[in-house]
Amino acid sequence: MYKSNAFYRKILCGAAFAITAFSTPTFAANDYPNKPIRILVGASAGGGTDILARALAEKFSQALKQTVVVENRPGASQTIAADNTARANPDGYTLLAATNTNQAIAPHILKLSYDPLKDINAVGLIAKVPHVLVVGKNSPYKSVQDVVNAMKADPGKLTYGSSGIGSTQHIAGEAFNLATGAKATHVPYKGSSQAHADIISGEVSMMFDTTSSAMSQIRGGTLRPLAVLSPERSPELPDVPTLAESGVKGADMYTWYGLFVTGGTDPKIVELLNKTLNDALAMPDIQQRLKSLGGEITPMSAADLAKLNKEEFERFGKLAKEANLQAQ
């Protein structure tokens, strides 16, 4: 059957459009990055997430030969930064330095406008750090047993700070309440550094903070560590007992820090970011920095972090239910 020239022109135009449509992401990935990249942090400056993000930003800038800036968006258990990442263009120019706070805990407690498992994609794990129970330097509590005795003597009078509702510090405090059968009252802040000031002054009794944010204050003598919330003692705090050694079992807690990107970002860009991250984690100065913060470096592929994130999401969902932490 005879076909007109117009017919063939339509076929060729359609084919050209299809090739362009399917090729665009590849060209975009090959051209990446060609403008500044930002890393969003859901906590205030000076906290553990901020410290790690700024250390990595420098390495990313050197490796990708592009400006990398850190933007702090504290509040709502780090979910403000996560929400901004979820709504950004999926082009790889908006990254998120996240923790299991916003990715696995807060979704069970706060009403969010995004799905942390779908709208934010994993890039790679930065580190895992244990938590440590700290009090102010002038606190009357010298041991975990002192704290437990005071909690039982006057339920709810003692307070514990956290970096926000649904944070790992919050969950650690509730796990401590459950494990001891006693009660301390939660006082949320917009970041660990803000909570530290009130603990040092005695306004708040204690905090189940990450070693990454508490270590400088511990070394400076303004915060006193009573126990680490990990199965073994921390190499950076060898003289500090574990909770189990102090008579409290079932309240172990660690925070993981990961790098994420907007959902739907080209897999080639994610692969490049994962390689850049793992290369940075292999550098001696980054390893020493993480070690000084009590961190354990565990390089992962994007798929491995996504798997960990899902497992943690389910685990903390059960814990939040057990502790009767209601969605707000």
Side-chain angles (χ1 to χ4, degrees):
M1 181 181 295
Y2 171 76
K3 303 291 186 184
S4 67
N5 289 336
F7 174 86
Y8 288 109
R9 281 198 298 271
K10 288 181 180 180
I11 294 295
L12 291 172
C13 286
F17 175 80
I19 291 171
T20 302
F22 284 105
S23 299
T24 299
T26 302
F27 293 145
N30 290 340
D31 194 34
Y32 176 87
N34 58 21
K35 63 179 182 180
I37 299 169
R38 59 180 184 155
I39 301 177
L40 301 188
V41 173
S44 53
T49 314
D50 179 74
I51 292 170
L52 295 179
R54 293 184 186 279
L56 288 175
E58 180 183 355
K59 301 301 183 184
F60 270 58
S61 182
Q62 294 169 359
L64 299 175
K65 303 193 181 333
Q66 191 57 255
T67 300
V68 180
V69 296
V70 174
E71 295 182 11
N72 296 86
R73 303 287 180 87
S77 298
Q78 303 185 19
T79 60
I80 293 175
D83 182 72
N84 275 264
T85 303
R87 291 187 290 105
N89 289 329
D91 53 11
Y93 291 95
T94 300
L95 309 182
L96 175 68
T99 71
N100 38 356
T101 288
N102 63 275
Q103 285 299 110
I105 302 173
H108 301 290
I109 302 172
L110 305 176
K111 293 181 180 178
L112 306 178
S113 61
Y114 66 93
D115 185 331
L117 300 183
K118 294 179 181 178
D119 299 330
I120 300 175
N121 289 166
V123 171
L125 188 69
I126 299 171
K128 294 179 181 179
V129 298
H131 283 237
V132 57
L133 170 56
V134 293
V135 296
K137 63 178 180 179
N138 296 319
S139 170
Y141 309 120
K142 308 294 184 182
S143 68
V144 172
Q145 196 58 52
D146 287 346
V147 171
V148 174
N149 290 341
M151 288 169 63
K152 290 183 176 180
D154 197 347
K157 181 178 179 180
L158 266 68
T159 54
Y160 71 92
S162 80
S163 62
I165 295 171
S167 64
T168 50
Q169 295 99 328
H170 179 196
I171 292 292
E174 292 303 315
F176 188 78
N177 283 344
L178 289 171
T180 59
K183 175 67 176 176
T185 301
H186 179 221
V187 181
Y189 291 81
K190 287 187 176 181
S192 294
S193 57
Q194 294 180 4
H196 290 169
D198 283 354
I199 294 170
I200 293 168
S201 70
E203 189 82 11
V204 173
S205 308
M206 57 189 171
M207 186 173 184
F208 300 86
D209 203 7
T210 60
T211 55
S212 55
S213 64
M215 198 64 80
S216 62
Q217 299 283 6
I218 291 172
R219 290 197 177 102
T222 54
L223 290 179
R224 181 193 308 145
L226 300 184
V228 290
L229 280 66
S230 53
E232 296 85 27
R233 294 193 180 196
S234 168
E236 298 304 305
L237 297 169
D239 297 326
V240 178
T242 66
L243 269 186
E245 289 175 329
S246 303
V248 178
K249 297 181 179 180
D252 290 349
M253 180 64 65
Y254 72 88
T255 288
W256 52 256
Y257 296 88
L259 191 65
F260 290 76
V261 71
T262 306
T265 298
D266 191 305
K268 289 188 177 180
I269 293 177
V270 174
E271 184 179 355
L272 173 62
L273 291 171
N274 177 267
K275 182 181 184 306
T276 305
L277 172 62
N278 289 334
D279 286 348
L281 294 177
M283 296 180 180
D285 58 332
I286 292 292
Q287 291 191 344
Q288 182 56 43
R289 184 66 181 275
L290 287 172
K291 181 183 176 183
S292 71
L293 298 173
E296 172 192 335
I297 299 176
T298 311
M300 284 187 176
S301 66
D304 287 339
L305 177 56
K307 181 174 180 289
L308 172 65
N309 193 170
K310 188 172 187 238
E311 291 171 348
E312 290 276 279
F313 183 89
E314 294 170 354
R315 180 170 78 94
F316 283 115
K318 293 178 182 177
L319 201 158
K321 186 175 180 180
E322 182 180 355
N324 196 30
L325 301 178
Q326 302 296 322
Q328 300 180 11

